[in-house]
Amino acid sequence: MSKTMKQIATLLLLGAACMNASAAFPDKPINMVVPFGAGSATDTLARGVAKGLSERLGQPVTVENKPGAGGGIGAAYVARSAPDGYTLLMGTNGPMAANASLYQRLPYDPVKDFAPVALMGRLPMILIGNADAKATTLPELIAAARAQPGALNFGASNTTARVWVELLKRMADVDVATVLYSNVGGMMTDLMSGRITYAFENVGPSLPQIAAGKVRALAVTTPQRAPFAPDIPTVAESGLDKHELVVWFAMFAPRGTPAPVVERINAEVNRVLGTDELRQLSAQIGMTPAAGSPKDLEAYQESEVKNWRSLVDMTGVRID
């Protein structure tokens, strides 16, 4: 047999082995890595999706929390894992788009090291204020900030919130202070007590406090009003429509995961997202579910990486 024929035979054998492995998938438990702590919105979503996938795939899908470095520790772990579909990442806009611009040295490439599987959904940030704050609408807040430059302060417990404060300063031409927090619990405590006056925050921690009357909602950051809170105006309604920045969740696998395996997981994830249980969970965390192909997620992620690069360059927010 010639050298060329041997190479062709080897490729055919490898292809057949890959197809056999894909056809049998899954034949053992799947590990879904969450790059944030237990109790986060990402964790809540991952556990709901894992339950649905376990039922549909006939194999346990466990959730493992690997928090740290803005989601980078968990993302790097999945990037280094075997590309066989048995290690998945429940990613967000942080580790899978923003970190590429926020960190000078990143131990993984959010695009080159991963195979996109499925976009889960999007949700806004909410601009919230202390219940006793004088400005109860975004236009009133902007007017107050212009009347007293540097007097108003905003809490930020995550990078997206930090960038939103900077965007507000630029789009509204105001000078406000940013108070950084390492966790949302401490920030929310200070907001409710009046130590800080306003904050941009994720939907999950905000809605219960809004419902209890402990904080006030001023605006959501999505272009349209959120289905879970149609009475809350958007920032765009106040003329702040030059930039868009939302939170999103998506599933990824290590780069090199066989396409049939990726397609199988994608199909089952889309089915899980359409269940009543996941619709209820999505409403709980304020997420608008999305469904689509791996190619759809690939295109969306690439656009988000570019968007974050532009926003980070403009605002100057960096972590290292």
Side-chain angles (χ1 to χ4, degrees):
M1 184 183 294
S2 69
K3 183 178 180 180
T4 300
M5 291 300 295
K6 286 182 179 179
Q7 290 174 334
I8 293 174
T10 300
L11 289 173
L12 289 173
L13 288 172
L14 289 173
C18 181
M19 290 181 63
N20 289 336
S22 301
F25 179 87
D27 60 5
K28 62 181 181 179
I30 297 170
N31 186 35
M32 188 186 301
V33 174
V34 173
F36 302 102
S40 62
T42 315
D43 178 73
T44 301
L45 176 62
R47 293 182 187 279
V49 172
K51 180 177 180 294
L53 285 179
S54 296
E55 295 168 353
R56 298 197 65 86
L57 294 173
Q59 289 288 344
V61 180
T62 59
V63 173
E64 181 179 7
N65 298 91
K66 286 186 175 294
I73 290 176
Y77 174 84
V78 174
R80 296 191 298 265
S81 298
D84 53 12
Y86 291 97
T87 304
L88 304 172
L89 175 72
M90 181 61 78
T92 72
N93 55 289
M96 302 310 291
N99 283 3
S101 298
L102 292 168
Y103 291 85
Q104 293 182 13
R105 294 173 296 277
L106 204 61
Y108 64 95
D109 187 303
V111 175
K112 295 180 180 178
D113 291 343
F114 294 89
V117 177
L119 180 64
M120 300 288 171
R122 306 174 183 88
L123 67 154
M125 301 287 284
I126 300 185
L127 172 56
I128 52 179
N130 175 272
D132 297 324
K134 292 182 180 180
T136 60
T137 67
L138 181 52
E140 290 177 357
L141 187 158
I142 293 171
R146 288 173 177 168
Q148 295 180 294
L152 298 184
N153 55 31
F154 283 70
S157 69
N158 57 69
T159 304
T160 307
R162 287 178 63 185
V163 173
W164 257 113
V165 176
E166 294 301 318
L167 289 176
L168 173 67
K169 290 164 66 174
R170 283 158 177 76
M171 288 191 290
D173 191 24
V174 296
D175 178 16
V176 299
T178 305
V179 182
L180 302 180
Y181 289 84
S182 60
N183 61 81
V184 65
M187 189 217 70
M188 198 66 77
T189 297
D190 281 0
L191 180 64
M192 291 186 291
S193 69
R195 291 189 181 92
I196 58 174
T197 314
Y198 299 99
F200 282 98
E201 188 46 63
N202 288 318
V203 172
S206 302
L207 287 182
Q209 307 305 336
I210 294 169
K214 295 180 179 179
V215 301
R216 187 190 306 274
L218 281 74
V220 294
T221 63
T222 40
Q224 294 81 34
R225 294 196 180 198
F228 62 85
D231 56 328
I232 302 177
T234 69
V235 295
E237 290 174 46
S238 296
L240 309 184
D241 56 358
K242 293 181 180 179
H243 304 283
E244 181 180 344
L245 187 63
V246 298
V247 178
W248 50 266
F249 303 103
M251 183 178 291
F252 295 85
R255 177 67 69 180
T257 301
V261 171
V262 171
E263 293 290 346
R264 173 78 193 282
I265 299 171
N266 170 269
E268 299 301 346
V269 166
N270 284 334
R271 292 188 181 99
V272 170
L273 287 173
T275 63
D276 290 340
E277 188 172 358
L278 255 293
R279 277 194 283 266
Q280 292 173 5
L281 188 149
S282 297
Q284 176 187 329
I285 63 175
M287 183 184 81
T288 301
S293 68
K295 285 291 185 183
D296 293 334
L297 174 55
E298 181 179 28
Y300 182 70
Q301 183 197 17
E302 289 181 358
S303 70
E304 279 290 282
V305 169
K306 293 177 181 177
N307 185 42
W308 269 96
R309 185 178 299 118
S310 173
L311 293 175
V312 168
D313 288 344
M314 181 183 69
T315 60
V317 174
R318 293 188 184 277
I319 296 177
D320 72 349

